[in-house]
Amino acid sequence: PVYNGAEYLEDAIKSNLAQSEGRFVLNIVDNASNDDTEDICQHYSRLDSRIRYHRNKDNIGAAKNYNKAFALSSTSEFFRWHNADDLIASNSHELCLNALELTPTAALAAGTTSMISADGTELGDFDLALDLPQSSPSARFTAFFEQVGLTNVIYGLMRTQAVAQTPIFGSGRLAAADTRFMAILSLAGQFIRLDECLFYRRMHEQSSSADRKDDSTQAVFWNGSTCSR
């Protein structure tokens, strides 16, 4: 999913195309951007047949755009989202796929996260992926709320069938739609935490998480309107 992400979009696309496990389709869902996003996406879609570019006529809000990205990929066995400003390690797909194949009851696999600055410099701050190996759904759900922080695991590799059991991000009218989605996903299967750093989250002033405490800002991001509590 992307909206006006031109500044970092090329790096994000290249990061995905460089995966050691190359059997995937990259669906880019442009939420009616008015910067150079469309030109960048069209350029890379001509270079690599794995890229599918989809553009919304109007901005439908981040929640519905994330939902659309999943719907476009729902026929595959595995799925992951990727923001237009973040990066992943070149072996991310390979390691996460291996972990999910080894644990058929798992819903998600993810490595640790390193925070990076706007220019890509590692900031030295690491976020551990959620570790939810419990066999009991209620135990996983409880442990989720004990561990949850920035929910970076939402960009891990997920079993599509498990995601389909959730409302995904719904309408986006509830704050922190990503956290709510992950909590529900924990009921569908285990979360496998890998020790390797596989995800690089770019922290900058324009990122959606820059002002998470402001409900009105988050509401505009998720659905383009006011927030229902």
Side-chain angles (χ1 to χ4, degrees):
V2 57
Y3 173 68
N4 286 351
E7 184 170 3
Y8 307 110
L9 182 56
E10 285 194 73
D11 287 343
I13 292 174
K14 290 177 181 178
S15 177
N16 278 273
L17 297 181
Q19 290 300 298
S20 56
E21 170 53 77
R23 296 173 298 171
F24 63 87
V25 171
L26 177 58
N27 283 303
I28 303 177
V29 189
D30 181 359
N31 203 10
S33 297
N34 53 31
D35 63 356
D36 292 333
T37 291
E38 181 175 11
D39 291 340
I40 293 170
C41 293
Q42 295 284 15
H43 170 71
Y44 279 94
S45 66
R46 289 191 292 268
L47 295 178
D48 197 306
S49 60
R50 292 175 295 179
I51 296 177
R52 309 281 191 274
Y53 176 62
H54 312 268
R55 179 177 172 85
N56 300 330
K57 181 179 178 181
D58 300 302
N59 188 321
I60 60 176
K64 291 181 180 179
N65 206 41
Y66 271 70
N67 294 347
K68 181 176 179 178
F70 173 71
L72 289 167
S73 308
S74 60
T75 58
S76 62
E77 185 175 1
F78 302 100
F79 167 81
R80 64 178 296 272
W81 284 293
H82 191 97
N83 272 343
D85 44 7
D86 299 325
L87 306 173
I88 52 173
S90 61
N91 58 346
S92 178
H93 288 181
E94 179 182 358
L95 295 180
C96 291
L97 178 61
N98 289 342
L100 289 175
E101 289 181 334
L102 287 172
T103 311
T105 54
L108 176 148
T112 62
T113 296
S114 175
M115 308 303 173
I116 60 176
S117 65
D119 65 4
T121 302
E122 290 195 50
L123 300 175
D125 297 324
F126 288 86
D127 179 53
L128 294 177
L130 293 171
D131 186 25
L132 305 177
Q134 299 88 344
S135 58
S136 164
S138 61
R140 290 195 302 270
F141 190 76
T142 300
F144 172 86
F145 285 104
E146 293 172 346
Q147 298 181 32
V148 67
L150 293 173
T151 62
N152 290 311
V153 291
I154 202 169
Y155 301 110
L157 188 66
M158 292 173 271
R159 203 175 299 278
T160 305
Q161 185 177 18
V163 178
Q165 297 176 38
T166 76
I168 318 179
F169 289 173
S171 67
R173 295 192 62 82
L174 294 173
D178 50 352
T179 302
R180 295 168 190 270
F181 161 72
M182 295 304 295
I184 297 171
L185 184 66
S186 73
L187 296 171
Q190 297 149 309
F191 287 13
I192 301 173
R193 182 173 72 195
L194 304 177
D195 293 333
E196 293 85 351
C197 180
L198 300 178
F199 184 62
Y200 298 87
R201 181 169 180 174
R202 197 183 303 268
M203 309 301 288
H204 58 95
E205 292 182 356
Q206 289 75 43
S207 63
S208 63
S209 57
D211 197 1
R212 288 210 48 126
K213 294 182 179 180
D214 186 331
D215 281 353
S216 62
T217 299
Q218 288 298 306
V220 169
F221 171 74
W222 286 111
N223 66 15
S225 62
T226 56
C227 179
S228 294
R229 297 181 66 87

